[in-house]
Amino acid sequence: KQEVTQIPAALSVPEGENLVLNCSFTDSAIYNLQWFRQDPGKGLTSLLLIQSSQREQTSGRLNASLDKSSGRSTLYIAASQPGDSATYLCAASNYGQNFVFGPGTRLSVLP
Amino acid sequence: GAVVSQHPSRVICKSGTSVKIECRSLDFQATTMFWYRQFPKQSLMLMATSNEGSKATYEQGVEKDKFLINHASLTLSTLTVTSAHPEDSSFYICSARDSGSYEQYFGPGTRLTVT
């Protein structure tokens, strides 16, 4: 059964810093890995989706990588801004199965 | 892109009443939909898998008689919280799996508050 963990649980950085969020999963037969952002009291905003055949995806200041063999994914945020403050969720799915979510990383970017 | 809607987005109900939440795939067919629940400051947990035309599959610890799921068409699944209690207050999110591509798309969520 797929299990997902995320490190760190919380992170506080000054504005402008580059940062890395980590996600680990137990079942390497992963089909999709997706990173989401969730603002307090709101729903999910999909940031990046990496399919099993891909190694990374980029969107603006965000870059997500996937290493199936080691069971890891990272989300890199460049030049962080206060507006990036949110909880970041990593979720993994096997083919045709539901997404399994990690516990999230709470990010605070201080002005 | 594929869109999944949920209705209502927010609902407040009294203890003991029932509440129905709808999940619709707007531009694709979804044989399978998933229902998740998120308690405050926690991550999303799968409650059940909804299959069109058949009974839903519930995760361990989720009461099937309390959380009724109906997936009567390829674009609509409903979750009914029966005899709601304050501990059922949560954020409920559905995702729909495109029957053709097998990609999954998430709805915006429904915040349920039981008073």
Side-chain angles (χ1 to χ4, degrees), chain B residues 3-5 23-30 33 74-77 96:
Chain B
V3 177
V4 176
S5 70
C23 177
R24 290 182 186 274
S25 57
L26 297 187
D27 48 5
F28 63 95
Q29 293 185 334
M33 293 185 180
L74 289 172
T75 59
L76 174 65
S77 175

Side-chain angles (χ1 to χ4, degrees), chain B residues 18-19 35 37 46-50 54-70 78-83 88:
Chain B
S18 296
V19 175
W35 287 96
R37 178 169 56 184
L46 180 69
M47 297 176 65
T49 301
S50 166
S54 64
K55 291 184 178 180
T57 304
Y58 291 82
E59 295 300 298
Q60 190 173 9
V62 178
E63 301 173 56
K64 64 179 181 180
D65 294 330
K66 180 170 182 60
F67 298 98
L68 301 179
I69 291 175
N70 186 295
T78 60
L79 169 68
T80 301
V81 183
T82 62
S83 187
D88 298 323

Side-chain angles (χ1 to χ4, degrees), chain A residues 32 38 51 96-97 99 102, chain B residues 36 38 43 46 97 103-104:
Chain A
N32 279 335
Q38 186 174 33
Q51 296 181 333
Q97 303 298 309
F99 275 96
Chain B
Y36 298 82
Q38 184 181 36
S43 192
L46 180 69
R97 189 175 74 194
E103 296 301 332
Q104 295 182 41

Side-chain angles (χ1 to χ4, degrees), chain A residues 1 4 9 13 15 19 30 32 40 54 56-57 65 68 70 74 79-80 97 100 103 110:
Chain A
K1 186 178 177 181
V4 179
V13 300
E15 181 177 5
L19 57 99
I30 190 173
N32 279 335
Q54 300 171 326
E56 66 177 347
Q57 284 285 343
S65 67
K68 289 171 54 179
S70 67
T74 61
S80 58
Q97 303 298 309
V100 177
L110 307 175

